[in-house]
Amino acid sequence: MTQPAEITSKSWFMVLALGLVWGATFLVIELALQGITPIWLAAARIAFAAALTVAVWGLRGFPLFLTEQKDWPALAFAGAFSAAIPFALLSWGQQFVTSAFAGVSMAAVALMVLPLAHFLVPAERMTLRRTIGFLVGFAGVAVLIGGQAFATTGAALEPWGRVACLGAAACYAISSVMMRRLPPIDGIGLAAMPLIFGSLFVVPMAWIAEGPPPLPDSQTLLLLALLGLIPTAGANLLRVLVIRSAGPVFMSLTNYIVPLCSVTLGALLLGESLHRSLLLALVLILTGVALSQYGALRRMFRRAGEKTG
């Protein structure tokens, strides 16, 4: 797809929803890891989401490519890099790093998407204002998380855990650009296919690396079902819709919203303290978003004014 991205109020709502959902996911992953091994966690999460999404897709008659133009290799590539590989890397890496470092790693997705989209998606060119906006937003995330982002856990494999988290971020950036480049395709079909390819990849990998699947307790099974239903199946569909309509650069704003939601939810639900730096971080993140999306915001408010005028 090379046509200009269409950013609407609906696009903003979906990105905010994704930020809220994914902001709560890291806590759920850490709880689930108490009852299941990391790669089997990723496998169970993806397999459950795949089964659910395929069922919905089947009710629509399994439509996929909407024209004669097809690109199966790119679809398989996007599937592996949007689900299987990053989920496995994050689940493994979070054993050895702090959740704060994992959050900073995900914020780096936005910075990785910029150059990729500039060269691979003609409608997503970098500009000076957009680049400055993303850098300001990333600075806001760094202020939000603070020094604990790079605090050490003391684990022997911590350096490799950090590499795994950054690798997951790179996978998300690459898959976002690849999805935008696919030919016309059904939204639910596009959401289902990466999960199918991901399941075919990660389930054998989990069996080879960690042996037969464990039998989790009821609480872990409930957490796995939650991870599969909301932040995987539901959020994956929203992610596809945002990328295909508003573009990968706009979608990458989610990675600034996620840590903000994560910190806020931690304070509201777990009683964690809110530092004074939260306000500065909020100002920086919102300023970065406004700078990077100035044109889209201006068009959206102009259309709203025309409707009310």
Side-chain angles (χ1 to χ4, degrees), residues 161-243:
R162 292 185 172 185
V163 170
C165 290
L166 290 172
C171 287
Y172 286 130
I174 293 169
S175 67
S176 294
V177 173
M178 291 300 299
M179 282 188 178
R180 177 67 176 170
R181 286 173 56 86
L182 286 169
I185 196 169
D186 179 75
I188 296 180
L190 180 55
M193 292 304 293
L195 291 173
I196 294 171
F197 285 120
S199 298
L200 294 174
F201 176 85
V202 77
V203 170
M205 183 174 70
W207 203 297
I208 293 170
E210 299 177 345
L215 183 60
D217 56 39
S218 57
Q219 178 179 338
T220 303
L221 286 173
L222 181 61
L223 292 172
L224 292 174
L226 180 65
L227 285 170
L229 175 63
I230 300 176
T232 310
N236 183 57
L237 177 58
L238 278 184
R239 176 175 178 256
V240 166
L241 294 176
V242 172
I243 290 171

Side-chain angles (χ1 to χ4, degrees), residues 274-286:
L274 286 177
H275 301 287
R276 295 179 181 177
S277 59
L278 176 63
L279 181 59
L280 174 59
L282 179 61
V283 170
L284 287 171
I285 291 172
L286 292 179

Side-chain angles (χ1 to χ4, degrees), residues 4 133 145-146 148-149 170 198 204 240 244 269 271 306:
I145 296 176
Q148 60 180 321
V240 166
R244 296 292 285 179
L269 301 179
E306 292 172 352

